[in-house]
Amino acid sequence: MSDIDVFVDGKPYNPSETVIYRGMMLSEVPNLAFSMGYINASWTLRSDLTARYVCRLVNHMDANGYAECRPHLPETPLEGLRQGSPLSASYTNRTRDLMPKVSDTAPWSASLYYVLDKAQVEFSSFRDQALQFKGATSAPRSRL
């Protein structure tokens, strides 16, 4: 992947030990989201869903005075845990063991279906037992 040493909470970060949350965040990594498009549809469809979710999440954090949000893995092992990429191209196969994992269990699964993702992203609650919020920055602010 790269030669950059990355640390989370003072500990070395290893992407292969993380699990992708809702196709856009990594377990135990605070305040980070990424956009990855579909391989079977327009790339921007997924990117748009990710942007909408992240905006909702930031507004939720702002309204409640949270400074940090991180997906936290459940204590019980996830079903069908595997390396994340569905591609079989040689460039993905060479780095497959370095990539974050996905599961068959929502919200740790990776969907390739826009309609399903759209419903999950737009109507999902941030109280799904996977997201952990902490660190009130100040009193909650009202939205303009």
Side-chain angles (χ1 to χ4, degrees):
M1 298 257 292
S2 76
D3 294 329
I4 299 173
D5 293 327
V6 177
F7 294 85
V8 175
D9 297 331
K11 299 174 189 150
Y13 163 75
N14 182 348
S16 66
E17 294 175 0
T18 62
V19 181
I20 297 173
Y21 172 84
R22 292 196 185 276
M24 67 184 82
M25 298 172 79
L26 299 170
S27 61
E28 311 309 329
V29 179
N31 298 347
L32 174 78
F34 61 90
S35 179
M36 190 163 170
Y38 293 112
I39 59 170
N40 60 349
S42 171
W43 189 270
T44 56
L45 287 174
R46 179 66 190 176
S47 298
D48 183 56
L49 290 178
T50 298
R52 289 173 189 239
Y53 183 87
V54 171
C55 287
R56 280 184 52 228
L57 180 59
V58 169
N59 285 336
H60 174 77
M61 290 175 67
D62 191 43
N64 291 284
Y66 295 126
E68 180 181 296
C69 170
R70 74 173 70 205
H72 181 69
L73 290 170
E75 298 298 322
T76 58
L78 295 170
E79 299 283 328
L81 202 57
R82 64 192 178 285
Q83 296 311 121
S85 177
L87 297 175
S88 59
S90 60
Y91 66 91
T92 59
N93 288 337
R94 284 192 298 270
T95 59
R96 189 171 305 278
D97 60 331
L98 302 174
M99 302 300 285
K101 296 175 178 70
V102 294
S103 171
D104 291 335
T105 308
W108 306 99
S109 56
S111 170
L112 298 175
Y113 304 104
Y114 173 74
V115 175
L116 176 64
D117 286 346
K118 183 172 173 56
Q120 289 180 351
V121 165
E122 291 188 359
F123 302 110
S124 63
S125 170
F126 297 123
R127 297 177 188 191
D128 66 1
Q129 298 183 356
L131 290 181
Q132 292 184 339
F133 296 93
K134 70 177 186 178
T137 56
S138 62
R141 297 186 297 178
S142 61
R143 293 182 64 187
L144 298 177

